[in-house]
Structure formats: C-alpha cells, structure tokens
Amino acid sequence: MTATQIRQAFLDFFAAKGHVIVPSAPIVIKNDPTLMFTNAGMNQFKSLFLGEEPAKFPRVADTQRCLRVSGKHNDLEEVGIDTYHHTMFEMLGNWSFGDYFKKEAIAWSWELLTEVYKIDKDRLYVTYFEGDEKEGLAKDTETYNFWKAFVKESNVLPGNKKDNFWEMGETGPCGPSSEIHYDNRPDSERSLVDGATLVNGDHDQVIEIWNNVFMQFNRLKDGSLQPLPAQHVDTGMGYERLVRVLQGKNSNYDTDVFQPMIQFIAEKSGKAYNSKAKPGEDGWNDAVAMRVMADHIRAISFAISDGQLPSNNKAGYVIRRILRRAVRYQYQYIGFKEPFLNTLVPLLVEQFKGVFDELWNQKDFVQKVILEEEISFLRTLENGLQKFNVYLVKLIDREEKHSLAKKHDLLSEEPKSVGESLKKGFDLSEDINKILTGKAISGDFAFELSDTYGFPLDLTELMAREKGLIVDIEGYNKALTIQKTRSRAATAIDTGDWVIVKDDDTVEFTGYDETESVAHIVKYRKVKAKGTEQYQIVLDKTPFYAESGGQVGDKGELVFPDGEIIAVTDTKKENGLIVHFTDKLPATIDDALTAIVDATQRNSTENNHSATHLLHAAMKQVLGAHVNQKGSLVNAEYLRFDFSHFAKVTDEEVAKIEAIVNEKIRENVFLKEERNVPYQQAISSGVTALFGEKYGDFVRVITFDDKFSKELCGGTHVKATGQIGFFKIVAESAVAAGVRRIEAITGIAVENYINEQSKLVQQLKELLKNPKDISKSVESLLDENAKLKKEIEKSILEKSSGLKNELAQKVETINGINFIAQKVQLPNADAIKNLAYQLKDIVSDLFLVLAADIDGKPSLTVMIAENLVKEKNLNAGTIVRELAKEIKGGGGGQPFFATAGGSDISGLNNALEKARTFIV
C-alpha cells in the first residue's frame, strides 16, 4: 500500500464505525496559554474533555499534523539520528466523547491492524497501566482483560506511569493508556531475544505505533487528579511509523513519505543516500543531513501555511530554529552554499495535495518565505564565521604573531597583516593551526555565536576541531542556563486551579447584540505574574468580546447589586472559555451582576475592525488576488494589517487603496451578518477564509457589499460603513520575508491626524510669509540653500589651498622625516581631510598632525606617507589614539590616515607637542 492509501484506509475504517471525519487543526495553537504548537491529536478537543463545551459529535476521526520541538514533548535532537522521530508528523486518531470506551477502542484497533492492514499478530505487543501507588491509581485490569481476548498473554505487558499514563502537560486531561508495539526484527533475531523484553527500550526496530488513551482525569496545578465529567477515548497512531511497518522498511525515512525528497537532495548534491550507514562510517553525516532536511521542511512549511512566520520570539523563534538547523546541515555536510531548502517545497506540496490543501493554496508564498530566510541565515553564517576568525586572532599572542610574521617575511607589516589575514579567514600556513592547537574557545563566546548568529553548538565545535581547538562546554551551559533562568523569570506565570461557583457548562456570548448583560460568575482563579496578582473570571453570560482574530479584548466593568464595581482590564479566550481579567474579586461571589462593556472603546475598535475588512478587499483589487492576511491587530487607536506581498506598496497604490476604502465608507454600506452558516456553504459562496484559523462546522459571515468584502469573522463590527467616518493609511513597511504591513487610522483618530497636519502646514505658511504656492516656495528655499552650500564649499577649498602653501613652508626635517604639526581654522572634518591629502601630494616623507576646534569640539588628524609607514613602522591609527588622550578622547583609522575627537580643547597644544616624540 502507498502512504496515501494507508491514510485513507484508516479514515474509511472509522467512518464505517460511525465516526465523523474532521479536518486537522492548525499546527500553531491559539487561545491556549499552556501550548505553542499542536503536539498531539487531542489538543483541539481539550475543551471537550474538560467539559467546557459540548461535543458536536460523539465519535470523530482525523489525521492531525503535530509538532514536537519544545516543552514536555520534544523530539528535535533525535530527528535524523534515529529512524522514527520527527518534528512534524501526522497522528491518525479516533475519538469518543462520553460514548464508547475501552472495550470498543481495543477491539477496533486490533481489527484494523490485523484484518485490514494484515499485520502479523505475533509481531504485535500491547501494554496496559500497571498502576501507581503514589498516585493512588490501581492496575488497569479492565484493559488487561480486554486485550487477553485477542492477544496471547505473553504479549500483553504491564507498563509504568512514564509509559502508560498519558498526560498532555503539567496540567490538563490525562489517563491510563494502552500502547501497541511492533517488532520489526528479522526472525533470526527474534528467536534469540524475546521482543517483550525490548518494548519501550528505545530499540529502533521494536517501536510503538499506536496509543489508546483512556481520558478519565484532569491534572490540577497542585498535582492532584480530578475525575473528568465523562470518560473519553483519545487514540493516536504515528502515521509515518505505520507506513514503515506496512511497507516493510527498517526506517520511516525509507518509505514513500520521505524518499521523494531524500532522493531529490541526493540527485542535486551528487551524494548517494546510504540508509544503512552507522555513526562514524562513510555516508553517515550525509544521511543524517538528508533526513534532517526532509523532515524539517515539513515542519517549516506547515507552520508557515498555518500563519506562523519565522521570527525572533516564541513560536516564530522555534520555526526559525528548525529552519536554520536544516540550513546548517545542508551547508555543513551536503555542501549547498546557496539557498536550496526552499526547492523541496513543490515536492512536499504535491505529496499533500488533497490532504492538507492549505499548503497547496499557499505554495508560492511558503517557498518564498523559506528562500528569504535561507538567504538571511547564509549571510549570518558568513558573519558568524568572520566573528569566529576574529576570535582566533585574540587567541594568538603578540610573540606568536611576531614569530609567524618573521617566518613568512611579513615582519615589516607585523602584527597587523597577520591579524588581518586571520580575520579574513586566510590560512597563511599550517603553522596557525599548530599555534592554536590545545587552546580553548570560551563558553561565553560559543554562546554568543549561538545566541547572536544562530550557530548551533555542534557547528562551533566542528569549526574548533578543524583548528585543533576545544570548546568550554561547561561555560557554554552556564551561559545558557543564565539566559533561560532570566527568560523564565520574565515570563513566569503562576496560575491557580479554577474555583467552581456555579455548575454550568455553557457560556453565552451576547456581545454581538448588546454591551450590557446580567450574569453570574461560573468560576474564577488567581494568577500571579511578575509579582502582580490578578483574577480571571468566567461568567455564564457576557457581552465582553475576548481577544481573537486580531481584535483586542473588551474592557469595562462588573457592577454588583450592593454598588461594588470591579474593573475588567482585559478579556481573553482559553479553550473556548471567555475569561475576564480583574484586579480583585467581589465581596459576594455568587450575586447576580451586570457586565458592562466600555462602549467608547468598543465603537472605536469596531471602526478599525470593519475598516480592516474593507482594506483587505481594496488591496486585492489594487495589488492582486495573491494578497492574503498574515496577521492583524485591531484596537481603539489604530489598525495594523500584515499581508502577503513581495514588493513595497507604492505611494500611488496606497492612494488607490485609500480611495476605494473611503468610497465604501461614503456609500454607508450596511453590515450583512450571517450566523451559524454551514462552513462548506460559506466557502462555496466565495467567502474569504484566513489560513491558520480553525473554523467549526458552522461559521459567521461578515459582508460589506456582496461583490466587495465577504469574510469569515468572529469579531464585532459597525452596523454600516458610514460609522467609520474616514480612513487613512499612516505607514507601510516590511515585517518578514514576503510579508508587508500597513498601519491605518479611522474616525476621530483621522480627524486629529488631519488637524495636526493642517497645523503644521499653517505654521509653514507663516514662516514662508503666506505664499500662494507652498511647494514652489519650499523648492526655491532648497535651491537657494544648495547654491549657498556650493559657495561655502568653494570658499573652504580656496582657504584650504591657501593653508596648504602656508603649512608647506613650516616643514621641519627630523631624522629624514618632514614634520608638520599645526593648528588650523577650518569648519569641518572634510575640509581638514582635504587639506591633509593636498599636503601629502606636495610634501614627500610627510608626518602631518593637524589640530582644530570644530564647533567647540577638539579634533586631531594624522597623515603619514606610505613609505614611512613601511620603513619606519609608523601607524597613524596607533599614534592618533595616543594623542587623543591629551584631549580626553579617542579615535583610529588606517596606518597612513587617522582622526580623533575629544572633549578638552585645552589639550590641543599638548597633543601637537606630543606628536614630535614619535619621530625624535
């Protein structure tokens, strides 16, 4: 069976068992502060397990794309090294929400594996939870007994809490699990060693392929287990591992999931892929690199298509790290010095067409983003290598440089030329390596290369070994620990468990229709962050919009019958809940209250949100249909809109976009809001859906003119576009590879902006004596200014020429050197530099020092003839730094020309006298 057929067989099997096939959630998680990425199939159903929202279907099945590169579940370092770990992988899953439980889940998993996929029963081992005395959890005898009906007893194995009690994280849904393992070893090996002894032993040929989790508990913050409102089934089968088993391969990478990309890399690089190579053997590094590239391109591409661009923080940093890890492997081992990783995208897109079409729909954008990131990191690699070579110079002391320069007949240029050659990465000889052998690269510097230049530690170690150096790993780890500790301290949040006030599973949002609602507190919890204590409150009914889709959360008040008023400082979503942030709790927690939204802020926010929809539509008209939203921020002050586009938006294009939006505002187009529209019906009607968003079976459609703007959106909006008033773009910029940003304002903010601009224009008019045409007056001023500058420059040049002849007459000859050290009166450094070069042209063997007062600041200039630099070992840069001490300053430059500045004008005469000491 092909990989595609294997996936479809799974979905067809569970569809026949009454499961609804649901789409994969995005790989990047929103509205859950405990996770950045989807790391398991159950993530999108977390709120169902917790009983925070009802399940739409009692049974579902899917293939979920997952990412395991951070937090509790992190497989990154194993990727490419072993045969079965990945960053991005598919998890085939079937789910029961309070419907069937252990008996059916076990029976169906056995039926699928042995009767549909025809896997050899003797090669399958199953596990069950043996219990845990500390947790007060009994042995799962129920699971054990169900398995004995299908599997011989010797292949039914007990498992400890680590292996057979599944937990999503430190808190959240959890329960005992039952794993299914496959023994892929040849019969000759199986006869020698019982496969039962190798289960969960990290054997690369005895691997887990499926895990049946029986969700029964919720892990609370204090570590205790709370029974869930209902029992659920959560299963996950590693798709890549399953394909390996069914295709009879010894490695996931040898299947048709990865081979097309690996063979493409091999062909383009001219290197053969040796899947059987072992560590230390020829071809091992090449094979690892190819596997890493084939794996990582999947994680990168799907994350970008789901809306997460590479960046320097949070989820974006993780994606950038994965991308740079892949580029490093292709650069270091495969030999691709130019961007290559992005060329794998078309192969990947074709493979997942019809499965995850969000990647197909954005294939060009994804490839361009990866290309730009590759170009950027390859430059960073070069900069890091230069930084590395500069560091090597510091490890070679002056005597060693002198010896090296003498040996290579560079003594007249020592030590500068030796150092400069090293910094440029040139090997003068093998002697450099001999000098460096045994020296150590500090842990702090290795960490700087990693933190600033994106160099993984192993790359620094490789470069060090080539020079005979070692790396202070202990120092590196110490620096890394300090940074992690600082980062954790800055972001640490201590979240308490929910305190239940009212047993109510439903939370009603009324904010589309009203800004005030009578409600009750359902539950609350205490949160501490950066020493500040806050409370999070959930109401059974609320008009407060929770931050989502780029729109900020509402602020407002909770008003109680006794007159107590508690301010709501923010509103956010968490697993489907609307959470209100407050600084305190009410005196009486179970009283009815009136939840009141700040109407002024809400109205301004709605103006900007509706304007964002109009902007999106206008940009598609002006720039092209390829424009898609890549992020947004909508608050009461302004709107920010990120979009896919690979060129700067010109002033003319900005003007056209503004004109279209304002035309729609003047038309006063009424809002057409449709709630609970079937998703497929909405998509078929031509609605704009955002990539990376998880939509339900029923959606809300926001339309401003059926032929203009029609989007899926859960935010709040104006009732008619005329309410927006006016729209003005105030900034356009680049934010990432292939992504531009527009910032704009509406309503009263535009009025204030125009008033400020009018005020500036009026002030300018008054300064220009109220001309009829301001632009002509300014042009005349600029022309006049340019003419005056030319006249001043001409005057300065004439003065410099006069000074040149005057100073040439003051030459002193000292030890065969023509010495001039004088104060000059010139207005700027360029004039002094010009004078120095003129003197150099007419005075041979020149040693020149010029001192000047430039706008109250002391200035020194040193010019030395090139022949003196070589013959007398003089260096203008070194000399000017010494002279600068007299004026309390510093400077530098080239061996023949250098300058310095300072703060003490009174020291200029001393500096001129001191200059003489360098040649006497």
Side-chain angles (χ1 to χ4, degrees):
M1 297 175 75
T2 66
T4 301
Q5 290 170 334
I6 291 169
R7 182 195 293 112
Q8 194 58 50
F10 176 91
L11 298 175
D12 290 345
F13 176 83
F14 281 103
K17 301 292 186 184
H19 292 66
V20 175
I21 308 303
V22 297
S24 169
I27 210 167
V28 182
I29 288 185
K30 301 175 182 178
N31 301 325
D32 186 345
T34 66
L35 289 171
M36 282 195 295
F37 301 104
T38 297
N39 62 12
M42 63 79 60
N43 292 159
Q44 67 167 307
F45 306 118
K46 182 178 174 182
S47 59
L48 276 63
F49 293 137
L50 290 171
E52 292 173 347
E53 62 177 303
K56 295 176 182 175
F57 310 104
R59 302 178 181 184
V60 301
D62 68 356
T63 177
Q64 171 66 54
R65 49 189 184 272
C66 301
L67 193 67
R68 288 190 176 175
V69 291
S70 61
K72 179 175 180 284
H73 300 286
N74 187 350
D75 297 334
L76 183 61
E77 297 308 320
E78 285 77 34
V79 172
I81 305 299
D82 67 18
T83 60
Y84 56 94
H85 281 103
H86 304 289
T87 50
M88 178 265 173
F89 62 96
E90 284 186 68
M91 186 173 281
L92 303 171
N94 56 287
W95 317 86
S96 166
F97 305 117
D99 187 17
Y100 63 84
F101 202 45
K102 296 178 182 179
K103 180 179 181 180
E104 294 84 354
I106 289 170
W108 291 338
S109 58
W110 190 253
E111 180 184 350
L112 175 62
L113 292 176
T114 62
E115 296 182 25
V116 176
Y117 289 138
K118 307 295 184 184
I119 295 177
D120 184 352
K121 297 177 182 179
D122 288 338
R123 289 179 175 268
L124 293 173
Y125 295 85
V126 298
T127 64
Y128 65 94
F129 180 48
E130 66 183 8
D132 189 280
E133 190 174 337
K134 290 182 180 179
E135 292 274 7
L137 294 169
K139 171 184 173 182
D140 189 359
T141 54
E142 190 177 16
T143 295
Y144 172 73
N145 290 327
F146 284 139
W147 273 125
K148 283 204 305 179
F150 304 104
V151 185
K152 61 184 180 182
E153 195 166 352
S154 61
N155 284 25
V156 183
L157 310 172
N160 58 27
K161 181 187 168 189
K162 175 179 176 293
D163 294 323
N164 281 91
F165 193 87
W166 196 91
E167 302 191 59
M168 188 188 69
E170 292 183 3
T171 61
C174 55
S177 69
S178 177
E179 300 170 339
I180 303 175
H181 296 254
Y182 179 78
D183 186 349
N184 195 44
R185 297 173 301 151
D187 289 336
S188 58
E189 288 187 28
R190 293 177 64 217
S191 65
L192 296 174
V193 179
D194 186 357
T197 65
L198 302 177
V199 169
N200 280 325
D202 291 328
H203 194 290
D204 64 353
Q205 296 303 314
V206 182
I207 58 173
E208 175 195 347
I209 58 173
W210 204 348
N211 192 13
N212 287 271
V213 179
F214 307 119
M215 291 289 188
Q216 297 174 239
F217 307 102
N218 179 31
R219 175 76 71 181
L220 300 179
K221 184 179 182 299
D222 62 7
S224 62
L225 294 172
Q226 178 187 70
L228 290 171
Q231 294 180 327
H232 312 287
V233 171
D234 156 23
T235 82
M237 177 150 57
Y239 168 67
E240 293 79 8
R241 296 184 185 189
L242 176 65
V243 173
R244 164 186 171 177
V245 168
L246 296 181
Q247 293 185 354
K249 305 296 183 181
N250 292 320
S251 166
N252 295 6
Y253 294 99
D254 292 344
T255 68
D256 60 350
V257 175
F258 293 98
Q259 274 300 301
M261 285 182 289
I262 287 176
Q263 292 306 321
F264 180 79
I265 296 167
E267 178 187 346
K268 295 300 180 182
S269 66
K271 294 175 177 279
Y273 173 66
N274 182 1
S275 65
K276 297 181 180 179
K278 303 295 182 184
E281 295 179 354
D282 288 343
W284 166 253
N285 287 334
D286 293 345
V288 170
M290 291 181 191
R291 290 195 286 265
V292 166
M293 293 167 66
D295 171 275
H296 286 13
I297 190 64
R298 290 157 39 104
I300 299 160
S301 298
F302 277 107
I304 294 172
S305 71
D306 280 346
Q308 183 55 66
L309 296 169
S311 68
N312 286 329
N313 51 58
K314 297 183 180 179
Y317 174 76
V318 175
I319 302 306
R320 177 165 282 170
R321 180 186 173 202
I322 297 171
L323 192 153
R324 290 186 168 189
R325 190 173 188 269
V327 172
R328 193 268 296 187
Y329 269 100
Q330 74 179 30
Y331 182 95
Q332 179 181 337
Y333 294 115
I334 306 301
F336 290 122
K337 306 302 182 185
E338 299 295 327
F340 174 81
L341 192 67
N342 71 93
T343 64
L344 297 175
V345 173
L347 289 174
L348 185 70
V349 166
E350 200 62 44
Q351 180 180 348
F352 284 100
K353 186 178 180 182
V355 182
F356 301 128
D357 280 336
E358 46 270 80
L359 184 57
W360 169 265
N361 293 332
Q362 299 180 88
K363 54 184 182 295
D364 294 337
F365 173 72
V366 171
Q367 184 170 2
K368 286 179 180 178
V369 169
I370 295 173
L371 171 62
E372 293 297 324
E373 282 287 323
E374 284 192 87
I375 292 170
S376 173
F377 183 53
L378 287 170
R379 280 199 300 265
T380 301
L381 267 176
E382 291 180 9
N383 292 337
L385 290 170
Q386 288 180 4
K387 184 82 173 176
F388 183 82
N389 289 327
V390 168
Y391 184 81
L392 295 187
V393 177
K394 296 178 181 178
L395 295 179
I396 302 177
D397 63 34
R398 185 176 178 85
E399 289 185 8
E400 290 169 332
K401 286 181 184 177
H402 183 87
S403 173
L404 190 60
K406 184 177 181 180
K407 179 175 181 179
H408 291 276
D409 197 26
L410 294 168
L411 192 58
S412 63
E413 303 177 48
E414 191 277 331
K416 191 72 174 178
S417 65
V418 179
E420 288 299 326
S421 296
L422 283 169
K423 288 176 185 178
K424 292 176 183 176
F426 300 142
D427 281 329
L428 295 180
S429 73
E430 294 180 1
D431 296 330
I432 291 177
N433 288 1
K434 291 178 181 178
I435 290 172
L436 291 171
T437 297
K439 294 180 184 287
I441 290 176
S442 76
D444 286 339
F445 179 68
F447 178 74
E448 180 188 351
L449 283 179
S450 171
D451 192 47
T452 306
Y453 296 93
F455 271 49
L457 177 62
D458 52 353
L459 177 55
T460 301
E461 289 182 295
L462 174 71
M463 295 189 300
R465 282 196 298 272
E466 291 173 350
K467 295 292 184 184
L469 295 158
I470 59 174
V471 177
D472 176 14
I473 303 299
E474 185 177 339
Y476 172 88
N477 289 332
K478 183 178 179 181
L480 180 62
T481 299
I482 291 172
Q483 187 206 51
K484 284 183 175 179
T485 302
R486 188 186 306 119
S487 177
R488 278 196 294 266
T491 59
I493 298 176
D494 183 11
T495 304
D497 292 322
W498 288 110
V499 177
I500 307 300
V501 178
K502 181 183 176 186
D503 195 9
D504 192 336
D505 292 338
T506 61
V507 175
E508 181 185 356
F509 175 63
T510 61
Y512 294 141
D513 304 307
E514 59 189 29
T515 55
E516 292 188 20
S517 297
V518 175
H520 289 83
I521 295 176
V522 173
K523 57 184 176 180
Y524 68 89
R525 66 186 178 190
K526 185 186 293 186
V527 177
K528 291 181 181 178
K530 297 182 180 179
T532 301
E533 191 174 274
Q534 272 192 317
Y535 291 90
Q536 297 179 356
I537 296 174
V538 176
L539 306 177
D540 59 357
K541 182 187 292 187
T542 180
F544 283 77
Y545 181 80
E547 180 181 318
S548 183
Q551 181 175 335
V552 298
D554 281 331
K555 296 180 181 179
E557 297 175 337
L558 303 181
V559 180
F560 292 82
D562 62 1
E564 184 179 13
I565 298 176
I566 292 180
V568 175
T569 57
D570 201 357
T571 313
K572 295 181 182 292
K573 272 187 181 177
E574 182 177 328
N575 300 319
L577 291 176
I578 297 175
V579 181
H580 308 76
F581 287 68
T582 68
D583 293 330
K584 64 176 184 176
L585 289 175
T588 308
I589 207 74
D590 54 359
D591 270 358
L593 59 90
T594 304
I596 306 174
V597 172
D598 182 334
T600 301
Q601 177 180 297
R602 165 74 80 83
N603 290 339
S604 296
T605 303
E606 287 178 343
N607 287 347
N608 286 329
H609 197 163
S610 297
T612 303
H613 282 225
L614 303 182
L615 169 65
H616 195 181
M619 291 176 72
K620 284 182 176 289
Q621 281 190 17
V622 175
L623 303 179
H626 67 280
V627 169
N628 282 302
Q629 181 176 329
K630 292 298 172 187
S632 68
L633 172 65
V634 178
N635 59 32
E637 287 73 39
Y638 71 104
L639 67 91
R640 189 177 73 204
F641 186 79
D642 297 344
F643 57 99
S644 53
H645 192 55
F646 281 84
K648 177 177 172 56
V649 182
T650 66
D651 292 342
E652 292 77 10
E653 289 169 335
V654 166
K656 287 179 182 178
I657 292 166
E658 281 184 345
I660 292 171
V661 173
N662 282 312
E663 181 183 355
K664 287 298 174 185
I665 291 173
R666 289 191 297 272
E667 287 178 12
N668 197 28
V669 179
F670 283 93
L671 166 68
K672 179 182 177 183
E673 179 200 20
E674 299 170 89
R675 302 179 193 175
N676 299 315
V677 179
Y679 176 75
Q680 287 302 329
Q681 178 183 321
I683 294 298
S684 300
S685 72
V687 71
T688 297
L690 303 183
F691 295 111
E693 289 291 334
K694 172 66 176 176
Y695 296 107
D697 298 303
F698 295 91
V699 294
R700 181 168 174 260
V701 180
I702 295 297
T703 305
F704 291 106
D705 185 339
D706 284 300
K707 296 181 180 178
F708 185 68
S709 172
K710 191 173 187 178
E711 296 192 25
L712 298 185
C713 182
T716 62
H717 288 275
V718 299
K719 300 304 179 187
T721 59
Q723 180 184 322
I724 298 170
F726 197 70
F727 171 83
K728 179 67 181 174
I729 294 173
V730 295
E732 191 276 346
S733 61
V735 291
V739 178
R740 308 290 300 180
R741 171 174 292 172
I742 274 182
E743 294 178 43
I745 52 178
T746 63
I748 190 68
V750 179
E751 183 179 333
N752 293 335
Y753 176 84
I754 292 173
N755 286 340
E756 284 296 320
Q757 296 300 308
S758 297
K759 185 177 178 181
L760 287 173
V761 171
Q762 186 58 39
Q763 290 173 345
L764 183 59
K765 273 186 174 182
E766 291 172 2
L767 289 170
L768 296 172
K769 309 301 182 185
N770 294 306
K772 292 181 179 180
D773 191 329
I774 295 178
S775 60
K776 281 189 177 180
S777 294
V778 172
E779 284 178 12
S780 296
L781 277 175
L782 292 173
D783 290 342
E784 185 179 344
N785 186 52
K787 289 177 183 177
L788 288 171
K789 278 186 175 179
K790 287 182 179 178
E791 290 178 10
I792 291 171
E793 289 171 2
K794 182 180 178 182
S795 174
I796 291 171
L797 285 173
E798 290 173 353
K799 186 174 182 180
S800 296
S801 296
L803 278 173
K804 173 189 70 174
N805 297 325
E806 181 182 329
L807 292 174
Q809 301 300 317
K810 296 182 178 181
V811 169
E812 292 181 65
T813 303
I814 303 172
N815 295 328
I817 297 173
N818 290 322
F819 177 67
I820 301 174
Q822 295 288 330
K823 272 187 179 180
V824 293
Q825 292 183 349
L826 288 171
N828 55 55
D830 287 338
I832 297 172
K833 181 179 180 180
N834 182 60
L835 172 60
Y837 274 92
Q838 288 185 47
L839 281 166
K840 179 187 173 189
D841 290 339
I842 64 172
V843 179
S844 60
D845 301 325
L846 178 65
F847 185 114
L848 172 70
V849 181
L850 298 177
D853 175 350
I854 301 177
D855 295 329
K857 300 286 186 181
S859 170
L860 291 169
T861 299
V862 177
M863 171 72 81
I864 302 175
E866 280 92 339
N867 61 306
L868 296 183
V869 171
K870 294 180 180 179
E871 295 166 9
K872 303 291 186 179
N873 199 25
L874 295 172
N875 187 300
T878 303
I879 292 169
V880 85
R881 279 192 290 271
E882 284 298 315
L883 298 181
K885 293 177 182 178
E886 302 299 324
I887 59 172
K888 297 180 180 178
Q894 298 167 293
F896 65 90
F897 181 80
T899 61
S903 59
D904 186 3
I905 291 179
S906 66
L908 287 175
N909 288 331
N910 291 339
L912 292 175
E913 285 299 320
K914 189 175 183 179
R916 187 182 298 271
T917 64
F918 288 93
I919 58 173
V920 172

